Amino acid sequence: MATLLHIDSSVFPGEASSSRTVADTFRKTWLEQHPDGTVIYRDLAANPVPHITADSHTAGFADPDTHTSEQAAAFAERVKLIEEVEQADAVLIGAPMYNYAIPSTLKAWLDNVILFGRTVGETPSAKGTPVTVVASRGGSYAPGTPKEPFEYVQNYLRAVLGDTLALEVDFIVPELTMAPHNPAMTQLIPLFEASRDRAFQEAAFKAKQLAERLAA
């Protein structure tokens, strides 16, 4: 049966997080289609992965037989994360926008799984794997909005997941999530609610569609 790699990175737990709740809808729909399937789950907020160090970086370019004990230990952590990506038939990532960018924990995960000669290069080891990103944000950075120039989440992830890792990237974008909490955004609550409902619908639809595609 199919394997889903699910990555959450929101610092907020449960229903307090839009990216988590939408991703959870995707995951539940996926499991309905694959009741005997496997879900590999990583909560990067609760259990952050190590940031790249000199040892973990240089180990990626050196013969394993020449690794120091520090390089070997650091590289083993990277390989574990890389193997999870390689084993997955599909990847699901919760990527809320914090200060115009992705959470640092998600950046650390990406830095670990990007390995030249394996996940990156002429024959990327996970090439073509579909990845669905739930890119939630407190405001709107859609084309034509005043904040459009500050949209660094989708642009960055499209480059690093699609162009660098050669994954097949798709986005679900719940926006205006701060509207119910910020009095200055009260008039935007109906737009937030519409965006939220659309995100849940897209999550269920895309999970089912992807499950059917992989089963074909």
Side-chain angles (χ1 to χ4, degrees), residues 78-79 81-83 85-86 110-127 160-167:
R78 291 188 69 184
V79 169
L81 298 174
I82 289 168
E83 288 178 342
V85 176
E86 293 172 339
L110 287 165
D111 288 341
N112 275 281
V113 301
I114 294 172
L115 180 61
F116 288 90
R118 183 161 176 173
T119 59
V120 179
E122 292 185 5
T123 56
S125 56
K127 181 178 180 179
V160 73
L161 295 171
D163 296 341
T164 302
L165 293 172
L167 306 180

Side-chain angles (χ1 to χ4, degrees), residues 88-173:
D89 296 290
V91 180
L92 171 65
I93 299 175
M97 178 186 282
Y98 293 156
N99 301 315
Y100 303 126
I102 62 173
S104 62
T105 51
L106 181 55
K107 178 62 163 60
W109 178 81
L110 287 165
D111 288 341
N112 275 281
V113 301
I114 294 172
L115 180 61
F116 288 90
R118 183 161 176 173
T119 59
V120 179
E122 292 185 5
T123 56
S125 56
K127 181 178 180 179
T129 301
V131 52
T132 304
V133 180
V134 181
S136 60
R137 59 275 316 274
S140 178
Y141 300 78
T145 64
K147 290 289 189 178
E148 179 184 359
F150 299 94
E151 206 307 295
Y152 301 118
V153 171
Q154 285 178 269
N155 290 335
Y156 170 71
L157 290 177
R158 188 177 287 110
V160 73
L161 295 171
D163 296 341
T164 302
L165 293 172
L167 306 180
E168 179 188 305
V169 188
D170 190 23
F171 288 95
I172 300 172
V173 185

